[in-house]
Amino acid sequence: MKKIIDKILNCAIVCLLGIMVLVCCWQVITRYALGDPSKVTEEFLRYSLIWLTMLGCPYAYGLNKHLAINFIVKNYTKNEQSYFNIFVESMVLLFSISVLIGGGILVCINSLGQTSPALHMPTVFLYLCLPINGVLMVYYSILKLKDNLGKMKSEKLRKISL
């Protein structure tokens, strides 16, 4: 299941980035060659960058390619590292549920009936990236928690067998 979600996210991010490059090129052409900049491209690029960030964050997190400060933890024993990783993943899980999912749903509800100025798109589509990001972060965080708990169990079993 993780591989399927990773592939879907990868495809969505690559497609969105490609579309953003084309739209940005069109913006430059209309601004400098035609002298009349397109009004919708700037707003589209702004919203696309938000979506790209909100999809890229859980993708990088799931692949362990996110920014992490782990030089302090390297001095701990493997068991202590597992406890610390479980604590960190629990905090990520709590943040994702409360802020991204809970807050994202509230923002979506509050934006119902509003439209963006240039695209005339319902703004709920913009804010929908928050709960989607939260669900993906929860999914990856649960996978990491299971992995860390498994490592902790295997470390305890290894100590017992010695």
Side-chain angles (χ1 to χ4, degrees):
M1 182 72 170
K2 182 184 181 305
K3 288 183 181 182
I4 294 170
I5 292 175
D6 287 344
K7 283 189 182 227
I8 291 170
L9 277 175
N10 184 22
C11 182
I13 291 167
V14 167
C15 290
L16 187 57
L17 190 60
I19 291 169
M20 288 175 66
V21 167
L22 293 174
V23 171
C24 186
C25 289
W26 177 250
Q27 172 71 10
V28 171
I29 290 168
T30 58
R31 180 179 301 268
Y32 295 109
L34 302 177
D36 185 26
S38 174
K39 292 172 180 55
V40 297
T41 54
E42 184 178 339
E43 188 172 291
F44 174 81
L45 287 169
R46 186 179 318 123
Y47 292 167
S48 298
L49 185 60
I50 292 168
W51 268 91
L52 186 70
T53 304
M54 290 297 166
L55 292 177
C57 177
Y59 180 66
Y61 180 69
L63 296 177
N64 290 322
K65 301 290 184 188
H66 62 292
L67 181 64
I69 302 172
N70 58 4
F71 65 90
I72 297 171
V73 182
K74 286 183 179 180
N75 296 329
Y76 296 159
T77 65
K78 290 214 182 267
N79 200 26
E80 290 171 332
Q81 287 179 5
S82 293
Y83 281 119
F84 184 76
N85 288 336
I86 288 170
F87 172 75
V88 168
E89 296 306 327
S90 299
M91 292 297 104
V92 169
L93 186 64
L94 182 66
F95 176 82
S96 298
I97 291 170
S98 61
V99 175
L100 294 171
I101 295 175
I105 290 171
L106 287 176
V107 169
C108 287
I109 291 169
N110 287 336
S111 70
L112 286 173
Q114 299 176 12
T115 58
S116 64
L119 292 173
H120 303 291
M121 173 188 77
T123 54
V124 72
F125 291 133
L126 169 66
Y127 296 121
L128 198 58
C129 65
L130 288 169
I132 290 172
N133 175 289
V135 168
L136 291 168
M137 290 294 286
V138 165
Y139 173 73
Y140 285 120
S141 184
I142 289 172
L143 289 179
K144 289 179 176 224
L145 274 170
K146 286 172 62 176
D147 185 47
N148 283 319
L149 288 171
K151 285 179 185 176
M152 222 166 74
K153 282 182 183 178
S154 66
E155 184 67 26
K156 283 182 181 180
L157 289 175
R158 191 183 67 77
K159 284 183 179 179
I160 291 172
S161 64
L162 293 177

